[in-house]
């Protein structure tokens, strides 16, 4: 089949599924459900193939080259499926434990430097009293950082009754809400970009409208 | 029913309809609203522009279908720029399963596919997806050959790829570009590559994710970033090659104004009801 026809079929299928998904804006319906299920099915199939390919590249190829230790991750992966057999379901704990232990060790190794020490240093380094505006900026940054952390770390039945602590809690909450507002505002750009991209596809690739 | 109640009761369908019109009109007939260039985008562009021949560049292309619609814009712009640079050597890694699905199409879109197909193995290499997120990035940082099984995405052995004879771990690279960053992946690459090996890192996050990356930029752990579709549009302008990102910016602006008006309106109505003691 010529490449142009294949592309054209692809564009029509894409357009159909985009319209199926956006039909949800009108109401939940069968077209949306069809689009949703097709996406999940396709994604599951795709990830299955990628997973198999990953195992073939690393473990099976390694075994064929005489690296017999590659059998260990294979076994640890296989025991995860033991959960489907009640009698042997305890075996899956070994695979799960290994995964969690490796991930958390690797993550915590980086955590202290990247998320704690360097962040504290960067916050303190920004403090400047060179001008009234910079001084105000420094107070806001350091103050909100400390109070927001205090809000999380010391919120319990005892500290919430301590006189004067409400004030710190309140500033911490304002800091949090300011940050969340920023997150929400900038997320609008992402959501609109998704819609604009699909509209561009529908208008210019599917309907082939001209631009003026 | 008061005016405030009527405004709050507008059916969602009509809100979506107005938004649709506001997005479609500028796409068909762009207004050419100005796009302000930010310091972060300039810094990103200048860094790519100043890459010397012979520089070893580690590129991560962790594309996902749910985020590619926005990040694809900036990853296209940066990859186009990188592949235009003569003499730099690029190794592309991926720890997101969907990455490979988008990579070849991206190369074709940026016009680099035919040109670089000849240089494959010497100018650039595309590594296979490696599962395991943080653990995968750490494994790639210490030994690429072990982490990938010694083959590229197409199954070619490293022995047959001259570029992979020259590099095998994070220390061999001079700069990192996370050109397609769907969520928290920039932080993974920062944790396992940029900070431990002291390699400058640049990333292209979703606009929504960029908010959480500012502290790392302020701390100098990430050098700069392109913020979502706006960053992509700025990059296209800096490259003097306006494309899809620039074309969508008018629609972005109108969409933002409309949503801002809705937020303001809802707050005014809510505030006035509260003042008047209504529920």
């Amino acid at each position: 089949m010529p490449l142009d026809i294949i592309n054209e079929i692809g564009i029509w299928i894409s357009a159909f599924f985009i319209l199926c998904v956006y039909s949800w804006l009108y109401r939940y319906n069968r077209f949306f459900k069809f689009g949703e299920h097709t996406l999940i099915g396709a994604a599951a199939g795709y990830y299955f193939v990628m997973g198999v390919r990953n195992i073939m590249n690393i473990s099976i190829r390694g075994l064929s080259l005489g690296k017999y230790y590659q059998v260990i991750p294979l076994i640890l992966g296989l025991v995860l499926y033991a959960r489907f057999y009640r009698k042997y379901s305890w075996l899956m704990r070994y695979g799960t434990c290994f995964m969690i232990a490796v991930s958390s060790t690797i993550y915590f190794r980086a955590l202290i430097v990247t998320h704690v020490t360097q962040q504290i240093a960067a916050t303190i380094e920004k403090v400047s009293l060179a001008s009234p505006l910079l001084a105000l900026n420094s107070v806001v940054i350091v103050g909100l950082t400390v109070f927001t952390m205090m809000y999380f770390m010391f919120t319990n039945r005892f500290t919430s009754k301590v006189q004067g602590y409400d004030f710190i809690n309140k500033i911490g909450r304002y800091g949090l809400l300011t940050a969340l507002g920023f997150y929400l505002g900038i997320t609008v750009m992402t959501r609109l970009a998704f819609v604009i991209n699909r509209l561009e596809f529908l208008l210019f690739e599917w309907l082939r409208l001209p631009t003026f | 029913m008061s005016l405030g109640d009527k405004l709050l009761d507008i059916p969602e369908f009509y809100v979506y309809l107005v938004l649709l019109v506001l997005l479609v009109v500028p796409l068909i007939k762009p207004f050419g609203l100005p796009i302000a260039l930010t310091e972060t985008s300039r810094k990103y562009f200048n860094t790519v522009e100043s890459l010397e021949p012979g520089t070893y560049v580690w590129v991560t292309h962790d594309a996902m279908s749910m985020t590619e619609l926005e990040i694809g814009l900036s990853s296209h712009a940066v990859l186009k720029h990188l592949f235009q640079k003569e003499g730099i050597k690029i190794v592309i890694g991926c720890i997101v399963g969907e990455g490979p699905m988008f990579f070849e199409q991206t190369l074709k879109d940026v016009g680099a596919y035919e040109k670089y197909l000849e240089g494959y193995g010497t100018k650039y290499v595309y590594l296979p997806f490696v599962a395991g997120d943080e653990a995968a990035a750490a494994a790639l940082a210490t030994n690429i050959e072990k982490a990938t099984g010694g083959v590229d995405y197409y199954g070619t052995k490293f022995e047959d790829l001259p570029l992979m004879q020259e590099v095998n771990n994070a220390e061999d690279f001079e700069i990192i570009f996370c050109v397609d960053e769907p969520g928290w992946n920039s932080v993974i690459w920062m944790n396992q590559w940029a900070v431990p090996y002291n390699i400058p890192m640049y990333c292209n996050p979703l606009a929504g994710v960029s908010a959480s990356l500012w502290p790392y930029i302020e701390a100098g752990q990430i050098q700069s970033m392109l913020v979502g579709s706006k960053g992509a549009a700025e990059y296209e302008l800096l490259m003097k090659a306006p494309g899809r990102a620039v074309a969508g910016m008018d629609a972005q602006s109108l969409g933002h104004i409309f949503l801002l008006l809705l937020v303001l309106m809802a707050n005014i109505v809510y505030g006035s009801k509260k003042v008047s003691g209504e529920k």
Side-chain angles (χ1 to χ4, degrees):
Chain A
M1 201 184 284
L3 206 62
D4 284 350
I5 297 175
I6 295 172
N7 278 343
E8 197 62 30
I9 293 170
I11 288 171
W12 276 83
I13 292 173
S14 266
F16 171 72
F17 279 110
I18 291 167
L19 294 175
C20 279
V21 172
Y22 278 125
S23 69
W24 179 84
L25 294 175
Y26 174 61
R27 69 172 179 215
Y28 190 75
N29 62 70
R30 283 180 187 179
F31 287 104
F32 174 77
K33 214 169 169 179
F34 177 66
E36 189 185 27
H37 289 200
T38 309
L39 175 74
I40 293 167
Y46 177 82
Y47 269 93
F48 177 77
V49 172
M50 292 310 290
V52 169
R53 205 172 165 165
N54 205 245
I55 293 166
M56 296 296 285
N57 272 350
I58 300 171
S59 293
I60 306 295
R61 187 168 179 271
L63 283 173
S64 68
L65 293 172
K67 296 173 185 170
Y68 298 113
Y69 59 85
Q70 295 280 13
V71 80
I72 298 169
L74 270 182
I75 293 169
L76 287 169
L78 279 173
V79 296
L80 292 175
Y81 294 98
R83 65 176 298 173
F84 297 117
Y85 306 98
R86 188 170 288 178
K87 196 176 167 188
Y88 302 107
S89 61
W90 56 273
L91 278 170
M92 70 167 265
R93 290 183 205 152
Y94 288 94
T96 313
C97 288
F98 194 83
M99 275 199 302
I100 293 172
V102 169
S103 302
S104 51
T105 311
I106 287 170
Y107 179 66
F108 279 114
R109 187 189 66 171
L111 177 85
I112 305 296
V113 178
T114 56
H115 299 262
V116 182
T117 53
Q118 289 191 351
Q119 286 299 315
I120 292 171
T123 307
I124 303 298
E125 277 169 11
K126 296 283 170 195
V127 173
S128 169
L129 303 173
S131 72
L133 268 180
L134 280 174
L136 179 70
N137 194 38
S138 304
V139 170
V140 170
I141 289 174
V142 175
L144 284 181
T145 305
V146 172
F147 290 153
T148 308
M149 284 176 73
M150 284 175 79
Y151 172 75
F152 276 113
M153 295 171 92
F154 304 114
T155 305
N156 60 38
R157 207 180 292 167
F158 168 72
T159 49
S160 58
K161 284 178 186 169
V162 176
Q163 212 174 12
Y165 193 79
D166 271 358
F167 161 72
I168 292 170
N169 252 352
K170 200 172 250 180
I171 295 178
R173 277 207 302 274
Y174 286 143
L176 267 179
L177 287 171
T178 312
L180 291 175
F182 176 50
Y183 274 68
L184 178 73
I186 205 156
T187 302
V188 171
M189 191 199 286
T190 295
R191 302 298 166 201
L192 284 179
F194 291 171
V195 182
I196 290 166
N197 193 301
R198 290 303 79 194
L199 283 175
E200 280 176 332
F201 173 82
L202 290 175
L203 294 173
F204 306 123
E205 286 187 50
W206 182 49
L207 296 174
R208 302 220 162 85
L209 290 182
T211 46
F212 298 100
Chain B
M1 192 186 255
S2 67
L3 179 67
D5 289 327
K6 279 182 186 168
L7 285 173
L8 290 181
D9 276 349
I10 296 172
E12 282 175 27
F13 178 76
Y14 293 112
V15 175
Y16 293 134
L17 201 64
V18 175
L19 184 62
L20 182 70
V21 172
L22 287 174
L23 296 182
V24 166
V25 170
L27 285 178
I28 294 173
K29 189 170 173 45
F31 311 135
L33 295 172
I35 299 166
L37 297 176
T38 55
E39 200 45 50
T40 45
S41 301
R42 275 185 204 279
K43 188 176 175 185
Y44 198 127
F45 175 82
N46 290 338
T47 304
V48 177
E49 192 62 20
S50 62
L51 288 175
E52 296 287 334
T55 309
Y56 290 102
V57 180
W58 175 256
V59 172
T60 70
H61 190 267
D62 297 326
M64 283 179 84
S65 45
M66 62 181 278
T67 55
E68 185 65 6
L69 297 178
E70 186 183 34
I71 321 173
L73 299 169
S74 59
S75 73
H76 275 59
V78 174
L79 280 172
K80 190 174 186 176
H81 197 187
L82 280 172
F83 279 117
Q84 278 173 359
K85 300 291 296 178
E86 289 294 333
I88 62 167
K89 297 180 176 193
I90 307 169
V91 178
I92 302 126
C94 167
I95 54 169
V96 168
E98 289 171 65
M101 193 163 70
F102 293 99
F103 184 70
E104 281 203 344
Q105 188 58 44
T106 303
L107 277 193
K108 283 176 188 164
D109 288 348
V110 301
Y113 195 69
E114 278 78 21
K115 187 183 165 192
Y116 275 86
L117 210 58
E118 294 166 15
Y120 188 79
T122 51
K123 291 176 182 172
Y124 87 106
V125 166
Y126 184 46
L127 299 176
F129 153 66
V130 181
D133 290 341
E134 197 106 13
L140 284 164
T142 46
N143 193 324
I144 296 173
E145 191 173 3
K146 269 190 181 172
T148 55
V151 289
D152 71 353
Y153 174 69
Y154 308 100
T156 315
K157 291 176 187 167
F158 279 8
E159 298 96 89
D160 303 326
L161 299 166
L163 177 53
M164 295 317 292
Q165 308 300 314
E166 299 163 30
V167 289
N168 195 38
N169 59 43
E171 285 173 346
D172 297 330
F173 293 91
E174 289 147 75
I175 195 160
I176 304 167
F177 292 100
C178 296
V179 295
D180 215 307
E181 208 280 81
W184 202 234
N185 286 39
S186 288
V187 176
I188 290 178
W189 292 109
M190 180 192 77
N191 282 345
Q192 305 301 335
W193 279 64
V195 172
Y197 297 94
N198 201 20
I199 311 169
M201 180 178 143
Y202 295 78
C203 60
N204 304 21
L206 277 181
V209 172
S210 69
S212 55
L213 295 179
W214 280 111
Y216 305 114
I217 290 194
E218 290 288 321
Q221 294 161 316
I222 295 174
Q223 271 55 47
S224 195
M225 64 177 164
L226 292 182
V227 178
S229 50
K230 167 79 165 39
E234 290 175 49
Y235 206 92
E236 286 180 356
L237 287 179
L238 285 162
M239 282 179 72
K240 297 186 174 58
R244 283 165 54 212
V246 171
M249 272 298 110
D250 285 345
Q252 272 277 2
S253 301
L254 281 194
H256 272 81
I257 292 168
F258 177 61
L259 293 172
L260 197 65
L261 287 175
L262 287 179
V263 171
L264 278 174
M265 185 189 81
N267 275 290
I268 290 169
V269 173
Y270 175 75
S272 60
K273 280 165 87 85
K274 206 172 174 183
V275 168
S276 63
E278 277 183 63
K279 282 190 179 175

